[in-house]
């Protein structure tokens, strides 16, 4: 078919493909969730309904985009990792980033009422997204460790802060009490003042959420024989493991093989 005389404008679309042979990480983050969480009366410091909704939206993204090998989420953010060998959308950064963030936001909205049956969604939730390339296994693992360490630091602070506030102090008093404290001090405050052993709190809060594809038994009924058949399928599952230590990566060596 003949090209129209307008076709030349295509030249203005610049190549934005990600560096070949690098891990691609798309991180989405709720826009203005400080206000969004207040408006919808999220529980403090952690709202389990909100965590489950974030995980659901991320699961749908991972189900939909087969190249994603691992995802990590905490607070209002989720990171999706594509292996160095991925050729998804010819590695075009804007195409990959916009598809992932759009799928995430629409699923967050679509499934809202399942997780918040008694809370009307008052504004359309919005997420930003960026794609960053990591050149080595080390930088990829350090990236994921950075996000999980961030989860730990914020959760320890928030758990201590709200324990102090719920004991009758003002938010300003809680802030002053925690100013300049180290992790060990916050652990000590939680233990001696509130009888909370931080390390025994549920991993979902301390570690955030990890999604990987795991061998799962799927049962179905054979159309031919009418008998039940069990098949092993790799399906995305949500875990709350420590991804900073070597153990996790030893247990799942396939994750760091980038030629899959
Ligand atoms: P941004 O990302 O620059 O558009 O601005 P924000 O306000 O989204 O800031 P961000 O992403 O640094 O912080 C996330 C906010 O979401 C923070 O105010 C805490 C809030 N948040 C996240 N998860 C929960 C939760 O489970 N419960 C409550 N109450 N708040 C939460
Ligand atoms: Mg921010
Ligand atoms: Mg945010
Ligand atoms: Mg955030
Ligand atoms: Mg189209």
């Amino acid at each position: 078919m003949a090209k129209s005389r307008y076709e030349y404008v295509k030249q203005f679309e610049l190549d934005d493909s990600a560096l070949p042979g690098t891990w691609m990480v798309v991180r989405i983050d709720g826009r203005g969730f400080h206000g969004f969480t207040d408006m919808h009366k999220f529980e403090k410091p952690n709202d389990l309904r909100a965590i489950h909704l974030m995980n659901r939206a991320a699961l749908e993204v991972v189900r939909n985009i087969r190249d994603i090998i691992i995802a990590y989420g905490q607070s209002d953010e989720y990171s999706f990792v594509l292996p160095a060998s991925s050729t998804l959308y010819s590695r075009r950064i804007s195409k990959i980033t916009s598809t992932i963030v759009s799928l995430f936001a629409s699923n967050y909205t679509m499934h809202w009422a399942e997780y918040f049956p008694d809370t009307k969604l008052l504004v359309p939730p919005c997420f930003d997204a960026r794609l960053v390339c990591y050149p080595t296994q080390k930088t990829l693992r350090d990236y994921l460790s950075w996000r999980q360490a961030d989860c730990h630091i914020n959760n320890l602070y928030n758990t201590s802060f709200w324990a102090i506030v719920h004991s009758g102090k003002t938010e300003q008093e809680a802030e002053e009490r925690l100013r300049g404290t180290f992790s060990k001090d916050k652990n000590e405050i939680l233990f001696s003042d509130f009888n909370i052993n931080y390390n025994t709190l549920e991993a979902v809060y301390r570690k955030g959420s990890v999604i990987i594809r795991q061998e799962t038994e799927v049962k179905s009924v054979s159309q031919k024989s009418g008998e039940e058949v069990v098949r092993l399928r790799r399906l995305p599952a949500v875990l709350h493991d420590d991804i900073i230590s070597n153990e996790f990566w030893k247990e799942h060596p396939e994750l760091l093989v980038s030629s899959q």
Side-chain angles (χ1 to χ4, degrees), residues 85-122:
S85 60
S86 174
T87 55
L88 179 67
Y89 302 143
S90 308
R91 297 175 71 87
R92 285 152 60 202
I93 292 172
S94 54
K95 179 110 177 176
I96 295 171
T97 311
S98 59
T99 302
I100 288 179
V101 72
S102 162
L103 262 178
F104 189 92
S106 57
N107 274 289
Y108 190 95
T109 308
M110 184 165 150
H111 297 291
W112 171 272
E114 286 165 54
Y115 298 87
F116 286 92
D118 305 318
T119 309
K120 189 172 156 28
L121 184 57
L122 299 171

Short mmCIF file of all heavy atoms in Angstrom, two decimals, residues 85-122:
data_model
loop_
_atom_site.label_atom_id
_atom_site.label_comp_id
_atom_site.label_asym_id
_atom_site.label_seq_id
_atom_site.Cartn_x
_atom_site.Cartn_y
_atom_site.Cartn_z
N SER A 85 17.68 -11.41 28.97
CA SER A 85 17.44 -12.00 27.65
C SER A 85 16.08 -11.61 27.06
O SER A 85 15.78 -11.95 25.91
CB SER A 85 17.49 -13.51 27.76
OG SER A 85 16.48 -13.92 28.68
N SER A 86 15.27 -10.89 27.82
CA SER A 86 13.91 -10.59 27.35
C SER A 86 13.94 -9.72 26.09
O SER A 86 14.72 -8.76 25.99
CB SER A 86 13.12 -9.87 28.45
OG SER A 86 11.86 -9.46 27.93
N THR A 87 13.05 -10.06 25.14
CA THR A 87 12.91 -9.24 23.94
C THR A 87 11.50 -8.66 23.86
O THR A 87 11.04 -8.27 22.78
CB THR A 87 13.20 -10.07 22.67
OG1 THR A 87 12.34 -11.21 22.68
CG2 THR A 87 14.64 -10.52 22.60
N LEU A 88 10.83 -8.60 25.02
CA LEU A 88 9.46 -8.07 25.06
C LEU A 88 9.40 -6.70 24.39
O LEU A 88 10.17 -5.80 24.71
CB LEU A 88 9.02 -7.97 26.52
CG LEU A 88 7.61 -7.41 26.77
CD1 LEU A 88 6.53 -8.36 26.26
CD2 LEU A 88 7.41 -7.14 28.27
N TYR A 89 8.45 -6.55 23.46
CA TYR A 89 8.26 -5.29 22.71
C TYR A 89 9.58 -4.71 22.19
O TYR A 89 9.80 -3.50 22.25
CB TYR A 89 7.57 -4.24 23.60
CG TYR A 89 6.23 -4.66 24.13
CD1 TYR A 89 5.83 -4.29 25.42
CD2 TYR A 89 5.35 -5.41 23.36
CE1 TYR A 89 4.60 -4.67 25.93
CE2 TYR A 89 4.11 -5.79 23.86
CZ TYR A 89 3.75 -5.43 25.14
OH TYR A 89 2.53 -5.81 25.64
N SER A 90 10.46 -5.58 21.72
CA SER A 90 11.79 -5.18 21.26
C SER A 90 12.51 -4.31 22.31
O SER A 90 13.31 -3.45 21.95
CB SER A 90 11.70 -4.41 19.94
OG SER A 90 10.95 -5.14 19.01
N ARG A 91 12.19 -4.55 23.55
CA ARG A 91 12.80 -3.85 24.70
C ARG A 91 12.52 -2.35 24.68
O ARG A 91 13.30 -1.56 25.24
CB ARG A 91 14.32 -4.13 24.79
CG ARG A 91 14.66 -5.60 25.02
CD ARG A 91 16.15 -5.86 24.98
NE ARG A 91 16.87 -5.33 26.12
CZ ARG A 91 17.04 -5.97 27.28
NH1 ARG A 91 16.53 -7.18 27.46
NH2 ARG A 91 17.72 -5.40 28.26
N ARG A 92 11.44 -1.95 24.04
CA ARG A 92 11.13 -0.51 24.01
C ARG A 92 10.65 -0.05 25.39
O ARG A 92 9.66 -0.55 25.92
CB ARG A 92 10.06 -0.23 22.95
CG ARG A 92 10.64 -0.30 21.53
CD ARG A 92 9.62 -0.70 20.52
NE ARG A 92 8.51 0.23 20.47
CZ ARG A 92 7.30 -0.09 19.99
NH1 ARG A 92 7.06 -1.32 19.54
NH2 ARG A 92 6.35 0.81 19.97
N ILE A 93 11.39 0.93 25.94
CA ILE A 93 11.18 1.33 27.33
C ILE A 93 9.78 1.88 27.58
O ILE A 93 9.09 1.47 28.52
CB ILE A 93 12.26 2.37 27.76
CG1 ILE A 93 13.64 1.69 27.81
CG2 ILE A 93 11.93 2.98 29.12
CD1 ILE A 93 14.80 2.63 28.02
N SER A 94 9.34 2.80 26.72
CA SER A 94 8.03 3.42 27.01
C SER A 94 6.90 2.42 26.82
O SER A 94 5.92 2.44 27.57
CB SER A 94 7.82 4.67 26.15
OG SER A 94 7.99 4.36 24.80
N LYS A 95 7.05 1.53 25.86
CA LYS A 95 6.00 0.53 25.61
C LYS A 95 5.89 -0.44 26.80
O LYS A 95 4.79 -0.74 27.28
CB LYS A 95 6.33 -0.23 24.32
CG LYS A 95 5.33 -1.30 23.98
CD LYS A 95 4.51 -0.97 22.77
CE LYS A 95 3.57 -2.12 22.45
NZ LYS A 95 2.68 -1.83 21.37
N ILE A 96 7.03 -0.92 27.29
CA ILE A 96 7.02 -1.86 28.42
C ILE A 96 6.49 -1.16 29.69
O ILE A 96 5.61 -1.68 30.39
CB ILE A 96 8.45 -2.40 28.69
CG1 ILE A 96 8.94 -3.23 27.50
CG2 ILE A 96 8.49 -3.22 29.98
CD1 ILE A 96 10.42 -3.62 27.58
N THR A 97 7.02 0.03 29.96
CA THR A 97 6.67 0.74 31.18
C THR A 97 5.18 1.10 31.20
O THR A 97 4.49 0.88 32.20
CB THR A 97 7.50 2.04 31.29
OG1 THR A 97 8.86 1.71 31.07
CG2 THR A 97 7.36 2.68 32.66
N SER A 98 4.71 1.63 30.08
CA SER A 98 3.31 2.09 30.06
C SER A 98 2.35 0.90 30.11
O SER A 98 1.29 0.98 30.73
CB SER A 98 3.04 2.98 28.85
OG SER A 98 3.30 2.29 27.65
N THR A 99 2.72 -0.21 29.50
CA THR A 99 1.84 -1.39 29.53
C THR A 99 1.74 -1.93 30.96
O THR A 99 0.64 -2.23 31.45
CB THR A 99 2.37 -2.50 28.59
OG1 THR A 99 2.47 -1.96 27.27
CG2 THR A 99 1.46 -3.70 28.58
N ILE A 100 2.86 -2.02 31.64
CA ILE A 100 2.86 -2.57 33.00
C ILE A 100 2.09 -1.65 33.96
O ILE A 100 1.23 -2.10 34.71
CB ILE A 100 4.30 -2.83 33.50
CG1 ILE A 100 4.88 -4.04 32.76
CG2 ILE A 100 4.34 -3.03 35.01
CD1 ILE A 100 6.30 -4.42 33.13
N VAL A 101 2.35 -0.35 33.90
CA VAL A 101 1.70 0.54 34.87
C VAL A 101 0.20 0.65 34.59
O VAL A 101 -0.62 0.73 35.51
CB VAL A 101 2.37 1.93 34.93
CG1 VAL A 101 2.11 2.77 33.70
CG2 VAL A 101 1.93 2.68 36.18
N SER A 102 -0.15 0.58 33.31
CA SER A 102 -1.56 0.67 32.97
C SER A 102 -2.32 -0.58 33.42
O SER A 102 -3.41 -0.50 34.01
CB SER A 102 -1.67 0.88 31.45
OG SER A 102 -2.93 0.58 30.99
N LEU A 103 -1.72 -1.75 33.19
CA LEU A 103 -2.32 -3.00 33.66
C LEU A 103 -2.47 -3.00 35.18
O LEU A 103 -3.48 -3.46 35.72
CB LEU A 103 -1.41 -4.18 33.29
CG LEU A 103 -1.72 -5.00 32.05
CD1 LEU A 103 -0.64 -6.07 31.88
CD2 LEU A 103 -3.09 -5.65 32.16
N PHE A 104 -1.44 -2.49 35.84
CA PHE A 104 -1.47 -2.47 37.31
C PHE A 104 -2.61 -1.58 37.81
O PHE A 104 -3.42 -1.98 38.64
CB PHE A 104 -0.13 -1.99 37.88
CG PHE A 104 -0.05 -2.16 39.37
CD1 PHE A 104 0.49 -3.31 39.92
CD2 PHE A 104 -0.54 -1.19 40.23
CE1 PHE A 104 0.54 -3.50 41.30
CE2 PHE A 104 -0.51 -1.37 41.61
CZ PHE A 104 0.04 -2.52 42.14
N ALA A 105 -2.68 -0.37 37.27
CA ALA A 105 -3.68 0.60 37.75
C ALA A 105 -5.11 0.12 37.46
O ALA A 105 -6.00 0.25 38.29
CB ALA A 105 -3.45 1.96 37.11
N SER A 106 -5.31 -0.47 36.26
CA SER A 106 -6.67 -0.91 35.95
C SER A 106 -7.07 -2.09 36.82
O SER A 106 -8.22 -2.19 37.25
CB SER A 106 -6.81 -1.23 34.46
OG SER A 106 -5.89 -2.20 34.08
N ASN A 107 -6.12 -2.98 37.10
CA ASN A 107 -6.45 -4.10 37.99
C ASN A 107 -6.68 -3.65 39.43
O ASN A 107 -7.53 -4.20 40.13
CB ASN A 107 -5.35 -5.17 37.93
CG ASN A 107 -5.58 -6.13 36.78
OD1 ASN A 107 -6.50 -6.94 36.84
ND2 ASN A 107 -4.80 -6.01 35.72
N TYR A 108 -5.91 -2.65 39.86
CA TYR A 108 -6.10 -2.11 41.22
C TYR A 108 -7.52 -1.56 41.36
O TYR A 108 -8.21 -1.80 42.34
CB TYR A 108 -5.06 -1.01 41.47
CG TYR A 108 -4.98 -0.52 42.89
CD1 TYR A 108 -4.04 -1.05 43.78
CD2 TYR A 108 -5.82 0.50 43.37
CE1 TYR A 108 -3.95 -0.60 45.09
CE2 TYR A 108 -5.73 0.95 44.67
CZ TYR A 108 -4.80 0.41 45.53
OH TYR A 108 -4.70 0.86 46.83
N THR A 109 -7.96 -0.87 40.31
CA THR A 109 -9.29 -0.26 40.32
C THR A 109 -10.38 -1.34 40.18
O THR A 109 -11.36 -1.34 40.91
CB THR A 109 -9.40 0.73 39.15
OG1 THR A 109 -8.29 1.63 39.23
CG2 THR A 109 -10.70 1.51 39.20
N MET A 110 -10.14 -2.27 39.25
CA MET A 110 -11.14 -3.30 38.97
C MET A 110 -11.40 -4.18 40.20
O MET A 110 -12.53 -4.61 40.43
CB MET A 110 -10.65 -4.15 37.81
CG MET A 110 -11.64 -5.19 37.36
SD MET A 110 -11.16 -5.83 35.75
CE MET A 110 -11.80 -7.45 35.87
N HIS A 111 -10.35 -4.47 40.97
CA HIS A 111 -10.50 -5.40 42.09
C HIS A 111 -10.70 -4.69 43.44
O HIS A 111 -10.76 -5.36 44.48
CB HIS A 111 -9.30 -6.34 42.16
CG HIS A 111 -9.19 -7.22 40.94
ND1 HIS A 111 -10.11 -8.22 40.68
CD2 HIS A 111 -8.33 -7.21 39.89
CE1 HIS A 111 -9.80 -8.81 39.54
NE2 HIS A 111 -8.73 -8.21 39.03
N TRP A 112 -10.75 -3.35 43.42
CA TRP A 112 -10.88 -2.58 44.66
C TRP A 112 -11.99 -3.13 45.58
O TRP A 112 -11.77 -3.41 46.75
CB TRP A 112 -11.14 -1.10 44.34
CG TRP A 112 -11.49 -0.27 45.53
CD1 TRP A 112 -12.75 -0.06 46.05
CD2 TRP A 112 -10.58 0.41 46.41
NE1 TRP A 112 -12.67 0.72 47.18
CE2 TRP A 112 -11.36 1.03 47.42
CE3 TRP A 112 -9.18 0.58 46.43
CZ2 TRP A 112 -10.79 1.79 48.43
CZ3 TRP A 112 -8.61 1.34 47.45
CH2 TRP A 112 -9.41 1.93 48.44
N ALA A 113 -13.18 -3.28 45.01
CA ALA A 113 -14.35 -3.63 45.84
C ALA A 113 -14.25 -5.02 46.47
O ALA A 113 -14.87 -5.28 47.50
CB ALA A 113 -15.63 -3.54 45.00
N GLU A 114 -13.44 -5.91 45.87
CA GLU A 114 -13.25 -7.23 46.48
C GLU A 114 -12.47 -7.13 47.79
O GLU A 114 -12.66 -7.94 48.69
CB GLU A 114 -12.47 -8.16 45.55
CG GLU A 114 -13.25 -8.67 44.37
CD GLU A 114 -12.31 -9.25 43.32
OE1 GLU A 114 -11.49 -10.14 43.67
OE2 GLU A 114 -12.39 -8.79 42.16
N TYR A 115 -11.57 -6.16 47.84
CA TYR A 115 -10.70 -6.04 49.01
C TYR A 115 -11.19 -4.96 49.98
O TYR A 115 -10.86 -5.00 51.16
CB TYR A 115 -9.25 -5.78 48.56
CG TYR A 115 -8.73 -6.95 47.75
CD1 TYR A 115 -8.95 -7.03 46.37
CD2 TYR A 115 -8.11 -8.02 48.38
CE1 TYR A 115 -8.53 -8.13 45.64
CE2 TYR A 115 -7.68 -9.13 47.66
CZ TYR A 115 -7.90 -9.18 46.29
OH TYR A 115 -7.48 -10.27 45.58
N PHE A 116 -11.95 -3.99 49.45
CA PHE A 116 -12.53 -2.93 50.29
C PHE A 116 -14.06 -2.90 50.08
O PHE A 116 -14.59 -1.93 49.55
CB PHE A 116 -11.94 -1.57 49.90
CG PHE A 116 -10.53 -1.35 50.38
CD1 PHE A 116 -9.45 -1.69 49.57
CD2 PHE A 116 -10.27 -0.79 51.62
CE1 PHE A 116 -8.14 -1.48 50.00
CE2 PHE A 116 -8.98 -0.58 52.06
CZ PHE A 116 -7.90 -0.92 51.24
N PRO A 117 -14.76 -3.96 50.51
CA PRO A 117 -16.20 -4.03 50.23
C PRO A 117 -17.00 -2.89 50.87
O PRO A 117 -18.05 -2.53 50.38
CB PRO A 117 -16.62 -5.39 50.80
CG PRO A 117 -15.54 -5.78 51.74
CD PRO A 117 -14.29 -5.15 51.25
N ASP A 118 -16.46 -2.32 51.96
CA ASP A 118 -17.24 -1.28 52.66
C ASP A 118 -16.70 0.13 52.43
O ASP A 118 -17.12 1.07 53.10
CB ASP A 118 -17.23 -1.57 54.17
CG ASP A 118 -17.74 -2.97 54.46
OD1 ASP A 118 -18.74 -3.36 53.82
OD2 ASP A 118 -17.12 -3.67 55.29
N THR A 119 -15.74 0.26 51.52
CA THR A 119 -15.14 1.59 51.28
C THR A 119 -15.29 1.94 49.82
O THR A 119 -14.75 1.25 48.95
CB THR A 119 -13.64 1.58 51.67
OG1 THR A 119 -13.50 1.04 52.98
CG2 THR A 119 -13.04 2.98 51.63
N LYS A 120 -16.01 3.02 49.55
CA LYS A 120 -16.20 3.44 48.17
C LYS A 120 -14.89 4.05 47.66
O LYS A 120 -14.23 4.80 48.39
CB LYS A 120 -17.31 4.49 48.13
CG LYS A 120 -17.76 4.88 46.74
CD LYS A 120 -19.01 5.76 46.88
CE LYS A 120 -19.30 6.69 45.75
NZ LYS A 120 -18.94 6.50 44.44
N LEU A 121 -14.53 3.70 46.43
CA LEU A 121 -13.34 4.28 45.81
C LEU A 121 -13.68 5.71 45.40
O LEU A 121 -14.54 5.93 44.54
CB LEU A 121 -12.93 3.42 44.61
CG LEU A 121 -11.65 3.80 43.87
CD1 LEU A 121 -10.43 3.83 44.78
CD2 LEU A 121 -11.41 2.84 42.70
N LEU A 122 -13.01 6.69 46.03
CA LEU A 122 -13.44 8.09 45.88
C LEU A 122 -12.77 8.82 44.72
O LEU A 122 -13.32 9.78 44.19
CB LEU A 122 -13.18 8.85 47.18
CG LEU A 122 -13.94 8.32 48.40
CD1 LEU A 122 -13.44 9.00 49.68
CD2 LEU A 122 -15.43 8.53 48.22
#
